[in-house]
Amino acid sequence: MSQTTLPRRMSRTDSRSKATGATLYTADFEHRGALHAAVVRSTVSSARIRLIDCTAARSLDGVVAVVSAGDLPEALCGRRVRDMPLIARNVIRHVGERVAVVLAESRATAEAAAALVEVEYDDLRAVFDAQAALRDGAPRVHDEPWRYPGAVVTEAMHPNLQSVVSEGDADTTEDRLAQSAFLVDETYTIPSTKQGYLEPQAWLAVPLDDGRVRLRGTTKSPYRLREQVSTCLGLQPGDLEVEPTPLGGDFGGKGAPGDAPLCVALARMFKRPVRLVLRSAEDLTATDARHPASVRVRVGCDSSGALTAMAFDALFSGGAYAAHKPTATVNLHGAVEAALGYRLPAWSVRSRVVYTNTVPKGHMRAPGATATIFAVESAIDELAAAAGLDPVEFRAANLLGDGDVDAYGHRWRQARAVPTLRAAATAPASVPTPQGWAGGVGVAVYCRPTAASSTSMRLLPKADGGFEVEVPIPETGTANHTVVRELLAERLDVPAELVEVRQVSTSQLPGDPGVGGSRVTVGIAVAVDELARRWELSGKDGPVEVQSGDSLPKPVLSYAAQVARVAVDRATGQVKVLELVSAVDVARVVNPVAHQLQIDGGTVMGFGSAVMEDLIEDDGQLWAANLGELKLPCAADIPKLTTVLVEGGDGIGEANVKSIGELTNVAVPAAVANAIADAVGVRVRDLPLSAEKVWRGSQSLGEERGLRS
């Protein structure tokens, strides 16, 4: 084990260009003759469009066209379910939905004209809450959602369901819960928030003379984007080429097609380049955000403290369209995997995603896991308290160990939950509790499988003895191109400076699923192993190319345990998070700087979810229209961060690596909630953990104690 606060310095391939401002993002690319697009967005949540008056907008000098749904093909877009139109066709389903788009010779003119478009609506009934959406007689967000391409619901289901996944044995679980010596049955909620990337979504579609379209944009999944846009518009994949572009952050928010299909359709229609760059407020209030959730957890143990069963039931508001979710189930894996991590003799999991008249929801770092672990790890703490057991020892007695079989039937050769938990719990406190404040300590645990994903690469020798590596993977800010360079340099036994990594367009390599799922480094490692072998077999002559995926290694399990140390002002409920300790189960660390930044960045993101962030979604409107209102953490907010690396784990590939990107953001809210309960006895089950909620809990607790006395 090692404890670190400052990682040693190692160079990144993109550090100089980003520090000097030389890196070009999508919004930095101009194109001669490009039309600038500005979107006219709905101001209502549910309505029929009666009239779109474009007269004033078209009168502005420089306006080329105002386009509405009737001018475009009846195309539907989506990652899995194709239920989202290019522009709203007759019906509005959420505030901020595209109603029309203005094309002009300049961005300023396009935006000025968009403000002049007048839209008249006939209001329809709307539903904003997931529970209300499932009641009998609730307004239908879509008339027949089961008919959409890729839909996973049927006509027999409630018409507002996007997805439902049920696993486990509900009957046995109910029996075991009923027989438990101690039982917790509580509901936990989280609001919607945004991924927090700094670069708003932007697109540039350029029609070519041969009929193809070249697309540049804010996507972490170029090959999947090509497929999704082509399917939406009825094109062949070869008709669209996605150009490589660095991303100014992602965190799950840049995997959906976004405005790309619309820009491609407009470029083909007008035979001119089309450029669409969202303003920050537009990006915050009209693009996919995290699913708000209500999660009921029932968990029990016997008199000795052994878990007997857990029933988990999550309800997510999916917004007006399911288009932003890519999984085969159209659900959130973090919720489906709710039973992972502990030995559970009986369990049942249900996760439902529901259509509502709100902004469509999508993925955010470890989709569904923050809501899940906030609920499960809070309930575990509450159960330990009910049984009169220490929360750390209670967890240690029930977590998976080497060779254990998890609830889903998978046997893990190595499960280092307890060493990771103890590493976090025994890390010495380094920040004292302020005088007069109540101090508390809370712990929470999260685990996830690490699996390699298929990808492709090409190695080209250079005349100077160096190498160029072509990759399909975007650089999202996580230093994945640096990881390629360092792993390959090691395998080829050359200095890293002789390896140049370059992302190429979608016409140059076979394919890649994109950045996400904490799979990039392990996928890279497996591909680099194969690329080095091919290079040796080629006699070290000529370009070699690989497409990994035929025999990917089995997944491994990774744990993170986090301890929150807090101080609470009993008079006001104010909470100060003094320190966050993150113990992380690691195998080999390829690049210590990038690895530590992932740990710290994830922990800070979890801290924001715990005590600050809320998009303030009310009556279908998102009110946090800037980063100040959303309250993302800034440097002044961040508590002391301590990392403990639990080294020696078994990873994947010859490089022996495990995931890190989505390990440390998930458990922080539960750890902080548990610490608040330890400090003042107040259990807050609704994020964010604000002073008002703690104060109200204190008042209720005082009233209860008064009644008892």
Side-chain angles (χ1 to χ4, degrees), residues 244 393 571:
E393 297 307 319

Side-chain angles (χ1 to χ4, degrees), residues 488-507:
L488 191 58
E490 178 182 275
R491 288 299 310 272
L492 299 179
D493 194 24
V494 299
E497 292 73 18
L498 291 182
V499 178
E500 178 187 355
V501 181
R502 185 170 65 90
Q503 184 192 351
V504 296
S505 73
T506 52
S507 65

Side-chain angles (χ1 to χ4, degrees), residues 84-133:
M84 180 181 288
L86 297 174
I87 295 178
R89 187 172 292 272
N90 301 322
V91 176
I92 294 296
R93 295 187 172 93
H94 68 90
V95 171
E97 184 161 13
R98 295 181 291 256
V99 178
V101 60
V102 175
L103 296 173
E105 300 294 349
S106 72
R107 185 183 187 187
T109 300
E111 291 178 340
L116 296 176
V117 175
E118 296 185 3
V119 186
E120 296 180 10
Y121 302 101
D122 293 322
D123 289 339
L124 298 173
R125 292 172 62 210
V127 61
F128 307 121
D129 175 76
Q131 292 184 349

Side-chain angles (χ1 to χ4, degrees), residues 202-219:
W203 304 96
L204 174 63
V206 181
L208 304 178
D209 292 340
D210 59 7
R212 296 182 302 125
V213 176
R214 182 173 292 136
L215 178 65
R216 191 182 292 276
T218 45
T219 178

Side-chain angles (χ1 to χ4, degrees), residues 621-692:
Q621 174 74 53
L622 296 177
W623 295 99
N626 58 66
L627 295 180
E629 292 293 333
L630 177 58
K631 300 190 187 306
L632 293 181
C634 66
D637 301 312
I638 298 171
K640 173 67 183 282
L641 304 179
T642 298
T643 299
V644 183
L645 300 182
V646 184
E647 298 174 315
D650 289 340
I652 289 177
E654 294 184 34
N656 191 43
V657 293
K658 298 174 87 169
S659 67
I660 187 62
E662 295 168 287
L663 269 182
T664 59
N665 60 294
V666 174
V668 175
V672 175
N674 293 339
I676 293 170
D678 179 58
V680 293
V682 174
R683 173 60 61 178
V684 182
R685 302 185 182 94
D686 174 41
L687 294 182
L689 305 165
S690 66
E692 292 83 357

Side-chain angles (χ1 to χ4, degrees), residues 455-509:
T455 190
S456 54
M457 287 185 188
R458 183 181 296 117
L459 181 67
L460 301 97
K462 297 166 68 175
D464 62 1
F467 298 89
E468 183 176 283
V469 191
E470 295 178 344
V471 300
I473 306 165
E475 173 54 73
T476 61
T478 60
N480 59 62
H481 289 182
T482 302
V483 170
V484 173
R485 182 186 68 171
E486 293 180 358
L487 286 177
L488 191 58
E490 178 182 275
R491 288 299 310 272
L492 299 179
D493 194 24
V494 299
E497 292 73 18
L498 291 182
V499 178
E500 178 187 355
V501 181
R502 185 170 65 90
Q503 184 192 351
V504 296
S505 73
T506 52
S507 65
Q508 302 301 307
L509 284 170

Side-chain angles (χ1 to χ4, degrees), residues 80-369:
R80 164 74 188 196
V81 180
R82 290 192 285 122
D83 61 355
M84 180 181 288
L86 297 174
I87 295 178
R89 187 172 292 272
N90 301 322
V91 176
I92 294 296
R93 295 187 172 93
H94 68 90
V95 171
E97 184 161 13
R98 295 181 291 256
V99 178
V101 60
V102 175
L103 296 173
E105 300 294 349
S106 72
R107 185 183 187 187
T109 300
E111 291 178 340
L116 296 176
V117 175
E118 296 185 3
V119 186
E120 296 180 10
Y121 302 101
D122 293 322
D123 289 339
L124 298 173
R125 292 172 62 210
V127 61
F128 307 121
D129 175 76
Q131 292 184 349
L134 292 182
R135 293 178 188 142
D136 292 339
R140 291 191 178 197
V141 181
H142 296 263
D143 291 335
E144 297 178 320
W146 56 86
R147 295 192 185 278
Y148 288 124
V152 295
V153 293
T154 67
E155 188 173 359
M157 297 179 179
H158 193 286
N160 281 335
L161 271 175
Q162 289 184 13
S163 167
V164 58
V165 174
S166 297
E167 295 194 21
D169 186 335
D171 292 338
T172 302
T173 298
E174 293 300 326
D175 291 342
R176 296 287 180 88
L177 288 173
Q179 297 167 17
S180 299
F182 302 97
L183 179 69
V184 166
D185 180 352
E186 297 291 352
T187 298
Y188 308 83
T189 59
I190 72 166
S192 184
T193 186
K194 282 291 288 184
Q195 296 85 358
Y197 48 76
L198 295 182
E199 176 198 19
Q201 296 188 31
W203 304 96
L204 174 63
V206 181
L208 304 178
D209 292 340
D210 59 7
R212 296 182 302 125
V213 176
R214 182 173 292 136
L215 178 65
R216 191 182 292 276
T218 45
T219 178
K220 67 172 184 176
S221 308
Y223 289 80
R224 287 187 171 174
L225 178 70
R226 179 181 65 177
E227 176 189 357
Q228 291 155 7
V229 174
S230 298
T231 301
C232 173
L233 299 179
L235 307 176
Q236 295 299 314
D239 294 336
L240 183 65
E241 183 171 11
V242 182
E243 288 286 303
T245 312
L247 285 185
D250 162 45
F251 311 111
K254 291 177 179 172
D259 294 307
L262 174 61
C263 288
V264 171
L266 293 171
R268 286 167 55 84
M269 176 187 298
F270 289 92
K271 295 181 170 45
R272 288 180 61 179
V274 172
R275 186 173 182 269
L276 174 58
V277 180
L278 299 188
R279 297 290 182 182
S280 180
E282 197 176 12
D283 193 290
L284 280 170
T285 58
T287 65
D288 56 323
R290 183 172 71 187
H291 292 66
S294 173
V295 181
R296 183 187 180 192
V297 177
R298 292 177 294 146
V299 61
C301 68
D302 62 21
S303 57
S304 70
L307 290 175
T308 53
M310 182 180 77
F312 175 92
D313 192 4
L315 185 62
F316 293 95
S317 173
Y321 297 104
H324 293 279
K325 287 179 284 293
T327 60
T329 61
V330 196
N331 215 285
L332 302 173
H333 72 78
V336 177
E337 295 171 356
L340 184 63
Y342 289 92
R343 289 189 296 273
L344 287 167
W347 63 283
S348 65
V349 167
R350 181 174 68 161
S351 177
R352 292 170 293 169
V353 185
V354 182
Y355 282 114
T356 55
N357 290 114
T358 61
V359 172
K361 305 306 189 293
H363 277 192
M364 180 172 166
R365 204 171 191 173

